[in-house]
Amino acid sequence: MFKLSKKLNALPPYLFLEIDKAKRKARAEGRDIIDLGVGDPDQPTPAYIIEALHQASLDPANHRYALDQGMPVLRRAISDWYKERFKVALDPDREVLPLIGSKEGIAHFPLAFLNEGDYSLVPDPCYPPYKGGTIFAGGKPYLMDLRESNGFLPDLEKIPLAVRKKAKLIFINYPNNPTGAVADKDFYRKVVEFAKKNKLIVVSDLAYSEMSYDGYRPPSFLEVEGARDVAIEFHSLSKTYNMTGWRVGWACGNADLVAALAKVKSNIDSGIFSALQLAGVAALTGPDAHIKNMCRLYQERRDTLLAGLRSLGWQLNPLKATFYVWIKIPDKKYDSIRFASLLLEKADMVVTPGVGFGKYGEGYIRMALTVPKERIVEALGRLKNIF
Ligand SMILES: *Cc1c(COP(=O)(O)O)cnc(C)c1O
């Protein structure tokens, strides 16, 4: 009876729906499901952050609209954190914008720069809001295929000239969801050069910069010379501090890009609950021990899972960052949806089919390190029984 808008209809289908349904059904049947599907930390938010929220929530001054595009104290904490972590100096007043989680900002950003028919250059497979935000803004995603043979980096040279002319934005995301790939500063330098040559805005998504292993420290795109002329970078407390449900993130980088996003947002939302912003300050200025412990925990799970899967003869790349293991399906007979269904039926395991992140994700599944080690061991035992 109601006719959906063209834009809503143009969004890629939500392919995880069937898996979600099957998962609920299996749980309802009382089966012991191991869920490696969700990219959501299983550990609680550190206590000192919860305490900061509690204290701040008691102050009536924090109960009103927070209309000033992020509290100055939070913008300052973000800029200090960038300075400390990446040696990147950001002006907290002009180059930092707090967000209601970074997804919100990523999805809204294209509204500031795309006109009907303009392209965004979007990696594929990818985090879905790059495509969704582009389509809502009337633009068209041009898919840059991420190939294992190229380290899951886009091949910029391959992008046709006609596409470059109509493109306004290029999205990049390293450490990468869903492939777990990382990028070095040489690649970032090439992106800066490519963006300048083709008059593109670079949207860098750095959600996983703190989740890394074996001493590897992911760089920020803004560390590279010239990046600030062309780039906005999105970051978030979600993964670093186990705060996915809290919704605090930020955009930073080029002041004009940040101001344009602020203008879009001023028409859509009315700020972040001030008590949450103050909890965000507590997170960013708190002890480092939390991040070290988090990385140690995921690293142990990673070692267990990778060793177990390799002992089945599965081919896996080393994983230096993120909590995602991107796995080429060992039996070509199955596409990713059928392979995920097989694991659910035969091993009571939930994994994410690669095609859910885009067509070039076909042939892969993603497992997230978001369950305790004992459950990973249990899952590996079940896999040994069927492969
Ligand atoms: C989890 C994630 C985010 C963070 O989203 P929030 O909205 O800040 O919770 C951003 N980008 C990618 C690629 C992610 O996987």
Side-chain angles (χ1 to χ4, degrees), residues 272-321:
I272 312 167
F273 179 30
S274 300
L276 279 175
Q277 298 195 51
L278 293 168
V281 172
L284 290 170
T285 58
D288 286 350
H290 159 72
I291 295 181
K292 286 207 185 81
N293 293 337
M294 169 189 73
C295 291
R296 196 175 315 127
L297 181 81
Y298 292 133
Q299 186 166 325
E300 215 180 287
R301 294 174 180 179
R302 175 202 68 168
D303 293 344
T304 305
L305 184 62
L306 292 191
L309 294 176
R310 284 188 179 123
S311 77
L312 295 173
W314 295 16
Q315 300 295 317
L316 296 163
N317 293 307
L319 183 67
K320 289 209 268 187

Side-chain angles (χ1 to χ4, degrees), residues 39 100-104 106 127 130 173 177 205 207-208 235-239 243-244 247-249 324:
I100 308 169
S102 61
K103 182 179 187 178
E104 173 265 297
I106 290 166
Y127 182 55
Y130 311 150
N173 165 222
N177 175 13
D205 180 352
Y208 294 95
H235 213 308
S236 169
L237 302 180
S238 287
K239 308 296 165 36
M243 289 174 69
T244 47
R247 314 311 302 134
V248 182
Y324 300 118

Side-chain angles (χ1 to χ4, degrees), residues 83-146:
K83 178 100 195 142
E84 165 84 24
R85 171 66 178 85
F86 301 114
K87 312 276 176 287
V88 169
L90 295 166
D91 175 349
D93 296 328
R94 299 170 54 250
E95 296 177 323
V96 177
L97 178 69
L99 301 168
I100 308 169
S102 61
K103 182 179 187 178
E104 173 265 297
I106 290 166
H108 285 140
F109 184 72
L111 288 171
F113 292 100
L114 293 189
N115 289 312
E116 210 67 34
D118 287 345
Y119 282 108
S120 285
L121 308 180
V122 176
D124 186 296
C126 75
Y127 182 55
Y130 311 150
K131 289 176 189 163
T134 295
I135 290 167
F136 278 133
K140 286 193 209 152
Y142 173 84
L143 306 183
M144 305 183 288
D145 50 328
L146 303 187

Side-chain angles (χ1 to χ4, degrees), residues 149-210:
S149 55
N150 200 36
F152 298 107
L153 301 173
D155 182 353
L156 302 174
E157 296 312 313
K158 239 173 56 180
I159 300 165
L161 274 175
V163 171
R164 297 184 198 189
K165 281 208 185 97
K166 287 205 288 180
K168 295 273 169 65
L169 311 175
I170 177 169
F171 287 90
I172 53 168
N173 165 222
Y174 297 97
N176 182 257
N177 175 13
T179 68
V182 298
D184 60 17
K185 287 201 224 170
D186 276 342
F187 172 72
Y188 285 168
R189 281 185 202 103
K190 280 188 207 144
V191 175
V192 169
E193 193 187 325
F194 182 79
K196 290 196 167 176
K197 201 163 103 193
N198 295 292
K199 298 195 172 55
L200 297 173
I201 295 162
V202 179
V203 181
S204 164
D205 180 352
L206 193 60
Y208 294 95
S209 70
E210 303 315 293

